[in-house]
Amino acid sequence: MGFDQPFDFVNSDLDQVTYRFTDSSVPPRYHRSYSIVVTAQAITVTVDSYGDIVAEKSLPSSAAQLQAAWVLLDEARIHPGRKDNSPRCTGGTSDRITGAYQGETRFSASRYNCGGESGPMQGDIAAVKAYFQGLIPDFDQLIRT
């Protein structure tokens, strides 16, 4: 897989996908990062503040729901992109998408967002983020816990 080529999620053997959002540097009472993990058996969301878990929820899933996530990631053309060596802004947020097979990571890409800059992961990350948040019925309330 090249940096400029989207990963073929649908035709992969991956059995788990994780979307991770890391919040910006703000006081702990406002900081909310979260991970949403989808497998054929469960969808699990973990909300944390600087690593301290503040909420967790697990919902049943299915092979069809996992397949729908793969289709979305392919349609969003998610790929790692090329890293640059320019100085990074501090205090921004980040998104990470990870795919695994039997616990072994086979795909991982991330994007930082700060000061109007972002990179290096490419694709329609906003659609991916909205999709994963939409898997959790009371996501907005859970994130405010």
Side-chain angles (χ1 to χ4, degrees):
M1 173 187 64
F3 287 112
D4 295 325
Q5 299 298 316
F7 186 83
D8 186 359
F9 291 97
V10 169
N11 294 310
S12 72
D13 61 354
L14 301 177
D15 58 12
Q16 174 181 305
V17 60
T18 302
Y19 170 78
R20 171 79 178 158
F21 172 80
T22 303
D23 202 0
S24 60
S25 299
V26 294
R29 70 185 266 195
Y30 302 110
H31 180 93
R32 291 295 182 268
S33 297
Y34 60 89
S35 295
I36 300 173
V37 179
V38 180
T39 68
Q41 295 77 37
I43 299 169
T44 305
V45 60
T46 305
V47 180
D48 69 272
S49 177
Y50 295 107
D52 293 331
I53 296 173
V54 296
E56 279 187 296
K57 184 172 189 168
S58 188
L59 305 163
S61 185
S62 66
Q65 201 154 25
L66 180 59
Q67 183 68 18
W70 299 142
V71 168
L72 170 81
L73 290 167
D74 279 346
E75 289 175 352
R77 300 189 49 77
I78 298 299
H79 59 285
R82 294 188 184 271
K83 293 181 181 180
D84 63 16
N85 293 326
S86 61
R88 299 267 192 264
C89 172
T90 57
T93 64
S94 67
D95 304 280
R96 175 174 292 281
I97 298 170
T98 307
Y101 175 70
Q102 296 183 350
E104 179 184 322
T105 299
R106 301 239 175 125
F107 175 87
S108 182
S110 64
R111 178 181 81 167
Y112 66 90
N113 312 290
C114 187
E117 298 179 23
S118 66
M121 181 170 57
Q122 301 294 307
D124 190 352
I125 298 157
V128 172
K129 183 176 185 174
Y131 174 82
F132 278 85
Q133 289 176 351
L135 294 173
I136 312 302
D138 56 349
F139 179 81
D140 289 336
Q141 185 176 11
L142 189 67
I143 203 77
R144 287 191 289 259
T145 301

